[in-house]
Structures are given as C-alpha cells and as structure tokens.
Amino acid sequence: MTSGLITRRNLLVTGTALLVSGASGLSVPAQAKDVAPTASMRGGSNNYRPGAPIVDRIGGGGFWMSGTVRRAGDGAPLAGQRIQIWAHTTEGNERDQRSHGATLTDANGVFRLEMPQIVPAFGQPHGHLAYDSGEFETVFLRPVMRSSADTSLEAHFVLQPA
C-alpha cells in the first residue's frame, strides 16, 4: 500500500506542496524557503571542456544521465539551464571531445541526456556534470554509480545566483 503522507523530505524533493485549510477547503501553493545551494564536488571539474555543444545524444547511447536544476532559497525549478555531461564510457574516455555534450533543462527544471554506458575509471564508475552558464555560480558534480551495471545516474543541482 502506498502512503500519501507529505514528509519534509518529500516537500524538499518536489519543491511544491499544497497547504489545505480544514475550515475553508481552500488550497494555496507552498514553497520551501531554505534550500541550500549545491557545493562543487572534488574531482568534478576534471577534464572539463568549456563550451561543449548542446547535443541530442552523446555517442551511441544506451545509458541515461538525468537530474534537476533548482534555485537556492526557494527551490524553484530553473528552465533553460545548460548542463554539460561527460564520462569515461564504452566509446571513449572523459578527455575525449566526443565524450562531452550539453543539454538544457525543461520547464520543470529537469534534464535528461542519453550517452554510452559509463564504465569504471580509477576503480569507480562515475559521471561528470557542470552548470557553467554564468547566471548562477558554476557547480561541478561527480556522482559515483552504485554498480557499473547501472544504466542510469541522477544528479541534482541547486544553484546560487552569481
């Protein structure tokens, strides 16, 4: 059975909830007010290539990198934000230009880009992502996969205005 309870974690993850007044039955949107910005991760900027092109897919695909981009403070989703993605894959290493590409977030602040399967580099299967468009502070992420057999990886950005 699925629980419909709203927890603090669910509120922060979705960024939106409804506050319902028992007396009037009216509902108004609520927003989180203290969403902290994401800090850059150690090693996240390794092999970064400024200005990687926006692409529909990197290489032959088969692996999905996805996530969200929100604004620090209120947690509002940020549309049209450029996220660069690169990794060591079955088709190339993270230094190769062909292993880099960028995508834009949709109206809900969600991004998704297909790429070749990520394989271990230095013992860990991991991806690299960067927000570097200038409107907000640059953030580099280096999420590690649980298993090299995983076919997707998520990373989430909370951006602080520059």
Side-chain angles (χ1 to χ4, degrees), residues 22-147:
S24 68
L26 298 176
S27 62
V28 295
Q31 293 191 350
K33 294 294 181 196
D34 293 319
V35 179
T38 302
S40 283
M41 298 174 84
R42 186 172 174 264
S45 63
N46 292 352
N47 300 305
Y48 167 69
R49 292 181 172 265
I54 293 175
V55 297
D56 292 328
R57 179 173 68 196
I58 298 172
F63 183 92
W64 287 96
M65 182 69 77
S66 62
T68 58
V69 179
R70 299 181 296 142
R71 183 175 49 226
D74 63 5
L78 294 170
Q81 301 302 310
R82 186 179 178 282
I83 300 297
Q84 183 181 154
I85 299 169
W86 69 100
H88 190 85
T89 71
T90 55
E91 295 179 16
N93 66 51
E94 47 187 64
R95 289 181 301 275
D96 295 338
Q97 185 170 353
R98 69 177 183 223
S99 294
H100 290 247
T103 188
L104 298 174
T105 58
D106 67 14
N108 297 312
V110 175
F111 65 88
R112 183 172 158 99
L113 186 64
E114 189 177 14
M115 60 191 293
Q117 178 68 40
I118 292 177
V119 295
F122 306 108
Q124 296 178 319
H126 63 277
H128 292 266
L129 299 96
Y131 166 82
D132 63 351
S133 295
E135 183 180 349
F136 296 90
E137 291 180 11
T138 299
V139 176
F140 293 99
L141 299 180
R142 184 187 176 272
V144 175
M145 295 163 47
R146 291 185 192 138
S147 165

